[in-house]
PDB file of all heavy atoms in Angstrom:
ATOM      1  N   HIS A  29     -31.301 184.347  74.022  1.00 83.00           N
ATOM      2  CA  HIS A  29     -31.357 183.923  72.534  1.00 83.00           C
ATOM      3  C   HIS A  29     -32.007 182.488  72.494  1.00 83.00           C
ATOM      4  O   HIS A  29     -31.358 181.613  71.769  1.00 83.00           O
ATOM      5  CB  HIS A  29     -29.970 183.900  71.827  1.00 83.00           C
ATOM      6  CG  HIS A  29     -29.234 185.068  72.183  1.00 83.00           C
ATOM      7  ND1 HIS A  29     -29.425 186.229  71.358  1.00 83.00           N
ATOM      8  CD2 HIS A  29     -28.293 185.478  72.908  1.00 83.00           C
ATOM      9  CE1 HIS A  29     -28.607 187.191  71.742  1.00 83.00           C
ATOM     10  NE2 HIS A  29     -27.979 186.735  72.747  1.00 83.00           N
ATOM     11  N   PRO A  30     -33.169 182.226  73.107  1.00 86.00           N
ATOM     12  CA  PRO A  30     -33.626 180.747  73.102  1.00 86.00           C
ATOM     13  C   PRO A  30     -33.751 180.267  71.655  1.00 86.00           C
ATOM     14  O   PRO A  30     -33.498 179.030  71.479  1.00 86.00           O
ATOM     15  CB  PRO A  30     -34.993 181.027  73.794  1.00 86.00           C
ATOM     16  CG  PRO A  30     -35.289 182.436  73.684  1.00 86.00           C
ATOM     17  CD  PRO A  30     -34.101 183.103  73.611  1.00 86.00           C
ATOM     18  N   GLU A  31     -34.102 181.121  70.660  1.00 84.00           N
ATOM     19  CA  GLU A  31     -34.489 180.609  69.310  1.00 84.00           C
ATOM     20  C   GLU A  31     -33.156 180.195  68.617  1.00 84.00           C
ATOM     21  O   GLU A  31     -33.266 179.433  67.580  1.00 84.00           O
ATOM     22  CB  GLU A  31     -35.287 181.731  68.571  1.00 84.00           C
ATOM     23  CG  GLU A  31     -34.543 182.887  68.169  1.00 84.00           C
ATOM     24  CD  GLU A  31     -34.127 183.760  69.402  1.00 84.00           C
ATOM     25  OE1 GLU A  31     -34.544 183.636  70.361  1.00 84.00           O
ATOM     26  OE2 GLU A  31     -33.159 184.747  69.059  1.00 84.00           O
ATOM     27  N   LEU A  32     -32.025 180.588  69.095  1.00 85.00           N
ATOM     28  CA  LEU A  32     -30.762 180.286  68.389  1.00 85.00           C
ATOM     29  C   LEU A  32     -30.192 178.858  68.824  1.00 85.00           C
ATOM     30  O   LEU A  32     -29.538 178.213  68.176  1.00 85.00           O
ATOM     31  CB  LEU A  32     -29.670 181.227  68.530  1.00 85.00           C
ATOM     32  CG  LEU A  32     -29.964 182.612  68.104  1.00 85.00           C
ATOM     33  CD1 LEU A  32     -28.816 183.546  68.311  1.00 85.00           C
ATOM     34  CD2 LEU A  32     -30.271 182.625  66.573  1.00 85.00           C
ATOM     35  N   VAL A  33     -30.547 178.584  70.046  1.00 89.00           N
ATOM     36  CA  VAL A  33     -29.898 177.458  70.723  1.00 89.00           C
ATOM     37  C   VAL A  33     -30.138 176.078  70.071  1.00 89.00           C
ATOM     38  O   VAL A  33     -29.199 175.215  69.939  1.00 89.00           O
ATOM     39  CB  VAL A  33     -30.233 177.363  72.296  1.00 89.00           C
ATOM     40  CG1 VAL A  33     -29.604 176.135  72.849  1.00 89.00           C
ATOM     41  CG2 VAL A  33     -29.815 178.693  72.863  1.00 89.00           C
ATOM     42  N   PRO A  34     -31.440 175.772  69.597  1.00 90.00           N
ATOM     43  CA  PRO A  34     -31.640 174.444  68.991  1.00 90.00           C
ATOM     44  C   PRO A  34     -30.677 174.066  67.903  1.00 90.00           C
ATOM     45  O   PRO A  34     -30.514 172.957  67.587  1.00 90.00           O
ATOM     46  CB  PRO A  34     -33.087 174.497  68.719  1.00 90.00           C
ATOM     47  CG  PRO A  34     -33.722 175.454  69.577  1.00 90.00           C
ATOM     48  CD  PRO A  34     -32.628 176.525  69.772  1.00 90.00           C
ATOM     49  N   ASN A  35     -30.233 175.007  67.163  1.00 86.00           N
ATOM     50  CA  ASN A  35     -29.365 174.821  66.022  1.00 86.00           C
ATOM     51  C   ASN A  35     -27.802 174.835  66.399  1.00 86.00           C
ATOM     52  O   ASN A  35     -27.014 174.692  65.599  1.00 86.00           O
ATOM     53  CB  ASN A  35     -29.621 175.861  64.972  1.00 86.00           C
ATOM     54  CG  ASN A  35     -30.919 175.583  64.343  1.00 86.00           C
ATOM     55  OD1 ASN A  35     -31.148 174.565  63.780  1.00 86.00           O
ATOM     56  ND2 ASN A  35     -31.722 176.696  64.283  1.00 86.00           N
ATOM     57  N   MET A  36     -27.583 174.940  67.778  1.00 89.00           N
ATOM     58  CA  MET A  36     -26.262 175.069  68.095  1.00 89.00           C
ATOM     59  C   MET A  36     -25.662 173.699  68.661  1.00 89.00           C
ATOM     60  O   MET A  36     -26.454 172.814  69.063  1.00 89.00           O
ATOM     61  CB  MET A  36     -26.152 175.989  69.325  1.00 89.00           C
ATOM     62  CG  MET A  36     -26.344 177.463  68.943  1.00 89.00           C
ATOM     63  SD  MET A  36     -25.987 178.414  70.354  1.00 89.00           S
ATOM     64  CE  MET A  36     -25.742 180.129  69.649  1.00 89.00           C
ATOM     65  N   THR A  37     -24.359 173.604  68.589  1.00 88.00           N
ATOM     66  CA  THR A  37     -23.703 172.413  69.146  1.00 88.00           C
ATOM     67  C   THR A  37     -23.245 172.879  70.505  1.00 88.00           C
ATOM     68  O   THR A  37     -23.280 174.083  70.854  1.00 88.00           O
ATOM     69  CB  THR A  37     -22.556 171.954  68.317  1.00 88.00           C
ATOM     70  OG1 THR A  37     -21.610 173.177  68.381  1.00 88.00           O
ATOM     71  CG2 THR A  37     -22.872 171.816  66.935  1.00 88.00           C
ATOM     72  N   THR A  38     -22.803 171.893  71.362  1.00 92.00           N
ATOM     73  CA  THR A  38     -22.179 172.292  72.645  1.00 92.00           C
ATOM     74  C   THR A  38     -21.055 173.290  72.526  1.00 92.00           C
ATOM     75  O   THR A  38     -20.927 174.240  73.159  1.00 92.00           O
ATOM     76  CB  THR A  38     -21.715 171.145  73.451  1.00 92.00           C
ATOM     77  OG1 THR A  38     -20.843 170.330  72.575  1.00 92.00           O
ATOM     78  CG2 THR A  38     -22.896 170.263  73.851  1.00 92.00           C
ATOM     79  N   LYS A  39     -20.373 173.035  71.377  1.00 89.00           N
ATOM     80  CA  LYS A  39     -19.215 174.041  71.192  1.00 89.00           C
ATOM     81  C   LYS A  39     -19.627 175.362  70.883  1.00 89.00           C
ATOM     82  O   LYS A  39     -19.155 176.322  71.482  1.00 89.00           O
ATOM     83  CB  LYS A  39     -18.322 173.516  70.041  1.00 89.00           C
ATOM     84  CG  LYS A  39     -16.956 174.080  69.950  1.00 89.00           C
ATOM     85  CD  LYS A  39     -16.292 173.783  68.575  1.00 89.00           C
ATOM     86  CE  LYS A  39     -15.433 172.627  68.527  1.00 89.00           C
ATOM     87  NZ  LYS A  39     -14.913 172.308  67.306  1.00 89.00           N
ATOM     88  N   ASP A  40     -20.597 175.540  70.056  1.00 87.00           N
ATOM     89  CA  ASP A  40     -21.132 176.886  69.761  1.00 87.00           C
ATOM     90  C   ASP A  40     -21.603 177.544  70.979  1.00 87.00           C
ATOM     91  O   ASP A  40     -21.318 178.791  71.293  1.00 87.00           O
ATOM     92  CB  ASP A  40     -22.365 176.901  68.720  1.00 87.00           C
ATOM     93  CG  ASP A  40     -22.098 176.282  67.383  1.00 87.00           C
ATOM     94  OD1 ASP A  40     -20.857 176.479  67.075  1.00 87.00           O
ATOM     95  OD2 ASP A  40     -22.956 175.588  66.857  1.00 87.00           O
ATOM     96  N   LEU A  41     -22.481 176.875  71.743  1.00 91.00           N
ATOM     97  CA  LEU A  41     -23.079 177.453  72.875  1.00 91.00           C
ATOM     98  C   LEU A  41     -21.950 177.868  73.927  1.00 91.00           C
ATOM     99  O   LEU A  41     -22.015 178.854  74.626  1.00 91.00           O
ATOM    100  CB  LEU A  41     -24.144 176.570  73.582  1.00 91.00           C
ATOM    101  CG  LEU A  41     -24.919 176.990  74.718  1.00 91.00           C
ATOM    102  CD1 LEU A  41     -25.569 178.448  74.485  1.00 91.00           C
ATOM    103  CD2 LEU A  41     -25.962 175.967  75.172  1.00 91.00           C
ATOM    104  N   SER A  42     -20.984 176.908  74.082  1.00 91.00           N
ATOM    105  CA  SER A  42     -19.935 177.219  74.961  1.00 91.00           C
ATOM    106  C   SER A  42     -19.118 178.457  74.635  1.00 91.00           C
ATOM    107  O   SER A  42     -18.816 179.298  75.542  1.00 91.00           O
ATOM    108  CB  SER A  42     -18.955 176.053  75.201  1.00 91.00           C
ATOM    109  OG  SER A  42     -18.063 175.904  74.096  1.00 91.00           O
ATOM    110  N   LYS A  43     -18.857 178.582  73.337  1.00 88.00           N
ATOM    111  CA  LYS A  43     -18.191 179.885  72.976  1.00 88.00           C
ATOM    112  C   LYS A  43     -19.119 180.993  73.192  1.00 88.00           C
ATOM    113  O   LYS A  43     -18.560 182.117  73.661  1.00 88.00           O
ATOM    114  CB  LYS A  43     -17.964 179.793  71.339  1.00 88.00           C
ATOM    115  CG  LYS A  43     -16.679 179.247  70.948  1.00 88.00           C
ATOM    116  CD  LYS A  43     -16.254 179.447  69.655  1.00 88.00           C
ATOM    117  CE  LYS A  43     -15.307 178.515  69.111  1.00 88.00           C
ATOM    118  NZ  LYS A  43     -15.373 178.084  67.636  1.00 88.00           N
ATOM    119  N   ASN A  44     -20.373 180.951  72.788  1.00 87.00           N
ATOM    120  CA  ASN A  44     -21.188 182.199  72.908  1.00 87.00           C
ATOM    121  C   ASN A  44     -21.569 182.506  74.404  1.00 87.00           C
ATOM    122  O   ASN A  44     -21.701 183.666  74.587  1.00 87.00           O
ATOM    123  CB  ASN A  44     -22.574 181.840  72.264  1.00 87.00           C
ATOM    124  CG  ASN A  44     -22.353 182.046  70.793  1.00 87.00           C
ATOM    125  OD1 ASN A  44     -21.863 183.007  70.208  1.00 87.00           O
ATOM    126  ND2 ASN A  44     -22.819 181.029  69.973  1.00 87.00           N
ATOM    127  N   SER A  45     -21.429 181.613  75.197  1.00 85.00           N
ATOM    128  CA  SER A  45     -21.655 181.950  76.636  1.00 85.00           C
ATOM    129  C   SER A  45     -20.423 182.075  77.423  1.00 85.00           C
ATOM    130  O   SER A  45     -20.403 182.290  78.692  1.00 85.00           O
ATOM    131  CB  SER A  45     -22.670 181.093  77.309  1.00 85.00           C
ATOM    132  OG  SER A  45     -22.386 179.672  77.056  1.00 85.00           O
TER     133      SER A  45
END
Side-chain angles (χ1 to χ4, degrees):
Chain A
H29 313 277
E31 71 289 348
L32 299 179
V33 177
N35 290 305
M36 287 183 165
T37 65
T38 48
K39 198 196 268 176
D40 294 334
L41 183 53
S42 78
K43 270 192 198 149
N44 283 309
S45 50

